[in-house]
Amino acid sequence: MPFTGNWEQNVRKVVPYIPGEQPKDTDVIKLNTNENPYPPAPEVRRILDDFNESDMRLYPDPEADVLVSALAENYGLDKSQIFVGVGSDDVIAMAYMTFFNSDKPVLFPDITYSFYDVWAEVFRIPYETKPLTADFRIDPADYCCENGGIIFPNPNAPTGVFESLDTVESIIKANPDSVVIVDEAYIDFGGESCLPLINKYENLLVVQTFSKSRSMAGMRIGFAMGNEKLIKFMNDVKFSVNSYTMNRVTQICGAAAVRDKSYFEETVSRIIATRERTKKVLEDMGFTFPDSKSNFLFAKPPVKPAGEVFSELKKRKIFVRWWDKPLIKDYLRISIGTDDEMDRLFEALKEVLGIE
Ligand code: PMP
């Protein structure tokens, strides 16, 4: 008989976030987690080739100064306005811990990044979701009530819909007593960043990532930009949990990626061009979708239910994302790959949907 007791009553029980599948099979067209189909900047490869034993033996710089400096220069900010973390998931989790400490609910849209409610649950933060309009837009009026903080992605995920800076600003302006986090994971694919507003509003935190536009999802780099005070508060919390979050090689690779602006612009514009072509092809097939300014489309297939199309594509080794959830179960989220990968997707879709 094992020794038993009531220890389970003290466990923090949560329903975890479910990330998109990372198949072991390499022979797959992977359009399910919004990764970038192109390699990172060439200098990143060279750094990895030179990676030496001291880089492994010694602790990394806890301030990640090389990376923070490169980001500061790139965005025209002071280093004190930048926080870096291990992916924007880490940055946002730190921001929740730092800024969302009220008894009032944190607000976010009902259709959005499915990690937002998970963080609220794990940190025991009350929250309330606000419905998007029928065309998947945020109504700023919904965010003019008492709250303990606000977070939304712009462009939104999984819809890809971009809200204008006027909309974003009206939400920030109406909430001087809360921190507003704008999650700009997909901003580089054609949206306009609200970053300039950090000089106007000290309650605005803008979060971005290297996982999408800089092709470095596997390296795990995210960052937040905001007023010096906000960043100091976040660093105080981070240094109270784990000072050495980002490893040495990632810091150096990240800095190199930021410095190569022309490579960044070239790959981003290739993805935008492929996305626009994908919109036309899917539209011709009868798909409907809100306009996307991200590196994915949120598209409702004709003829067959989305769940069935998802499974049929998977059988053909094409992975897209589908959620069996009431508000979004009619849609597939399709990441933009290379032109060749998209052509293979189109062929498979024609077969699955019986389109000539
Ligand atoms: N925010 C949004 C809206 C996302 O879609 C993602 C990607 N899953 C993230 C944040 C986190 O990205 P990462 O941790 O790779 O920076």
Side-chain angles (χ1 to χ4, degrees):
M1 266 293 277
F3 176 78
T4 55
N6 278 333
W7 59 269
E8 280 200 46
Q9 75 191 12
N10 298 322
V11 170
R12 184 173 295 249
K13 298 185 190 78
V14 278
V15 181
Y17 169 75
I18 304 169
E21 195 175 339
Q22 293 297 116
K24 300 276 180 295
D25 190 347
T26 49
D27 175 27
V28 157
I29 299 187
K30 201 172 168 308
L31 307 174
N32 67 333
T33 50
N34 299 338
E35 288 138 331
N36 193 311
Y38 301 111
E43 184 62 16
V44 171
R45 172 77 268 156
R46 281 194 285 276
I47 291 167
L48 291 173
D49 290 343
D50 289 347
F51 185 56
N52 64 42
E53 72 80 30
S54 318
D55 289 320
M56 289 179 264
R57 194 172 58 78
L58 302 176
Y59 278 113
D61 172 10
E63 317 272 350
D65 189 65
V66 61
L67 178 59
V68 171
S69 301
L71 286 166
E73 194 183 325
N74 189 62
Y75 291 99
L77 300 176
D78 190 82
K79 288 197 282 182
S80 61
Q81 295 174 293
I82 298 172
F83 174 93
V84 298
V86 185
S88 49
D89 283 340
D90 178 44
V91 173
I92 299 169
M94 286 290 148
Y96 267 56
M97 269 200 263
T98 312
F99 302 121
F100 296 166
N101 291 292
S102 154
D103 296 335
K104 295 172 198 156
V106 165
L107 310 179
F108 46 84
D110 61 347
I111 300 173
T112 196
Y113 187 31
S114 50
F115 223 138
Y116 293 163
D117 56 346
V118 176
W119 283 311
E121 296 282 355
V122 74
F123 298 133
R124 310 262 163 87
I125 299 166
Y127 66 94
E128 213 175 283
T129 60
K130 297 290 177 183
L132 294 180
T133 64
D135 54 352
F136 299 117
R137 304 214 73 101
I138 289 174
D139 181 352
D142 288 338
Y143 297 83
C144 291
C145 53
E146 277 213 316
N147 64 74
I150 292 172
I151 180 164
F152 58 90
N154 197 30
N156 197 2
T159 65
V161 173
F162 173 74
E163 297 295 350
S164 73
L165 288 198
D166 284 348
T167 301
V168 173
E169 184 166 5
S170 67
I171 293 172
I172 303 162
K173 203 173 181 172
N175 289 283
D177 298 333
S178 308
V179 170
V180 178
I181 303 176
V182 182
D183 175 357
E184 294 190 335
Y186 303 99
I187 197 66
D188 295 323
F189 300 105
E192 192 185 349
S193 174
C194 67
L195 181 60
L197 297 179
I198 67 171
N199 297 319
K200 201 164 159 190
Y201 300 98
E202 62 174 23
N203 61 327
L204 167 63
L205 191 78
V206 181
V207 179
Q208 294 190 9
T209 177
F210 282 47
S211 299
K212 320 294 177 182
S213 54
R214 296 186 193 276
S215 311
M216 290 171 85
M219 300 290 271
R220 311 304 298 125
I221 308 176
F223 57 106
M225 299 172 285
N227 173 280
E228 190 183 333
K229 255 197 297 184
L230 289 184
I231 301 302
K232 158 107 179 49
F233 284 132
M234 281 187 82
N235 272 317
D236 288 347
V237 170
K238 175 227 147 115
F239 280 96
S240 307
V241 176
N242 179 358
S243 3
Y244 302 115
T245 49
M246 188 181 286
N247 69 68
R248 296 171 78 92
V249 76
T250 300
Q251 296 183 19
I252 305 165
C253 288
V258 176
R259 288 202 197 96
D260 195 342
K261 286 192 193 180
S262 63
Y263 182 83
F264 166 75
E265 279 158 19
E266 183 198 317
T267 46
V268 163
S269 61
R270 271 161 90 176
I271 290 164
I272 292 173
T274 308
R275 177 189 71 205
E276 295 308 305
R277 187 171 77 88
T278 302
K279 285 180 187 171
K280 290 203 189 82
V281 177
L282 291 189
E283 213 162 60
D284 288 348
M285 282 187 203
F287 279 78
T288 54
F289 45 87
D291 193 32
S292 166
K293 285 256 192 285
S294 61
N295 68 338
F296 57 83
L297 296 180
F298 189 57
K300 182 176 174 182
V303 190
K304 286 187 177 159
E308 201 178 315
V309 179
F310 164 80
S311 305
E312 287 298 320
L313 288 175
K314 200 166 176 182
K315 281 187 205 154
R316 290 164 177 79
K317 294 198 170 194
I318 300 179
F319 284 40
V320 298
R321 194 94 193 254
W322 174 69
W323 290 269
D324 190 8
K325 286 187 180 173
L327 295 171
I328 55 176
K329 69 176 177 16
D330 293 340
Y331 289 78
L332 298 172
R333 193 196 65 189
I334 305 169
S335 308
I336 303 298
T338 61
D339 276 314
D340 180 52
E341 287 173 327
M342 299 319 279
D343 285 338
R344 286 162 66 191
L345 168 76
F346 304 150
E347 284 315 307
L349 281 173
K350 281 183 192 156
E351 200 179 287
V352 171
L353 298 169
I355 296 170
E356 288 303 303

